[in-house]
Amino acid sequence: MKKIIIVTGASRGIGKEIAKTLAEEGHTVIANYNKSEKEAKQLQEQLQKENKEIEIYKADISQEKECKEMVEYVTKKYKKIDVLINNAGKDKIQLLTEVTKKDWDEIINTNLYGTFCMSQKVAKNMIQNKAGTIINISSIWGQIGASMEVVYSISKSGIDGLTKSLAKELGPSGIRVNSIAPGFINTEMNSALSKQEVQAIKEEIPLQKIGESKDIAKCIKWLIEDEYVTGQVIAINGGWSIT
Ligand code: NAP
């Protein structure tokens, strides 16, 4: 059945692939972006040429007002929101001793507060409808911790905690909440790594390859169709986190 879906951070990388996959499945996708307007417009043009239902919406999800306005816009236009994909996120690789309060605020407010805030705003409509699905993109680093990405790891652990709490609180209203925790995915977020560093990571991964955005999009498609999975953190990482 065709659904109304918000994907945050859909201008690039994993979010873009999720938006594309879901629009191609026949859903109506509201693709959120913040800074990458050109990329968001290109995605919209490409999908509209294929007669897919997509619109783009600029909002900084670290700001409550902008989350509220985006959710109000979608609710007013489409009357309901079936699915929220909290994908937008940012990272900064640095030593613990180099982290400033500004770094903390930027990462925590985008990754954790943004995910919380969007979920809170969307849940009101989902509770009224007694149906809905929220999928949060966390990270392998939220599960096992990353050296030199302490704030990022904290933000992603927090997302997994949020997922489990919301699954319990919203389950009785017919709303499922899950996290996907990607490993190393080939996107701009990892563009600072050298070829040698990427090769070294590949060798650590049991499946001996890095992930692609489509690996995440495929799981999203399945989670939307599913009816009985909630409160889970699904690791998509080629076996990298096996202990
Ligand atoms: P990316 O290529 O850097 O893209 C990040 C996306 O998030 C962009 O579309 C960006 O939009 C958006 N974004 C950032 N801050 C935002 C804000 N304040 N408001 C709205 N949108 C915002 O990253 P990616 O690799 O696709 O990562 C997507 C998600 O997967 C993130 O949550 C990331 O932490 C997670 N993840 C990635 C990997 C990986 O290896 N790539 C691994 C584990 C988890 P604009 O450019 O328009 O601002």
Side-chain angles (χ1 to χ4, degrees), residues 11-12 14 34-36 60 87 152 156 183 185 187 190:
S11 50
R12 299 184 280 116
I14 296 171
N34 185 30
K35 294 182 179 156
S36 306
D60 177 349
N87 164 79
Y152 181 78
K156 295 298 186 174
I185 307 295
T187 70
N190 293 313

Side-chain angles (χ1 to χ4, degrees), residues 8-16 32-37 59-62 86-91 110-111 137-141 152 156 180-190 213:
T8 69
S11 50
R12 299 184 280 116
I14 296 171
K16 179 179 171 184
N32 156 254
Y33 69 98
N34 185 30
K35 294 182 179 156
S36 306
E37 181 157 295
D60 177 349
I61 54 107
S62 68
N86 282 311
N87 164 79
K90 66 179 347 177
D91 190 11
T110 304
N111 298 2
I137 307 298
S138 57
S139 167
I140 185 172
W141 304 131
Y152 181 78
K156 295 298 186 174
I180 292 178
F184 188 101
I185 307 295
N186 184 20
T187 70
E188 252 179 83
M189 190 172 265
N190 293 313
S213 296

Side-chain angles (χ1 to χ4, degrees), residues 20 23-27 44 46-55:
K20 195 168 158 284
E24 284 170 353
E25 280 294 299
H27 299 300
Q44 185 183 34
Q46 181 197 340
L47 287 165
Q48 282 177 342
K49 268 188 205 149
E50 298 169 27
N51 291 322
K52 305 301 173 204
E53 291 190 26
I54 179 152
E55 61 177 298

Side-chain angles (χ1 to χ4, degrees), residues 140-156:
I140 185 172
W141 304 131
Q143 298 183 294
I144 64 171
S147 168
M148 295 185 68
E149 289 174 87
V150 173
V151 184
Y152 181 78
S153 301
I154 293 169
S155 74
K156 295 298 186 174

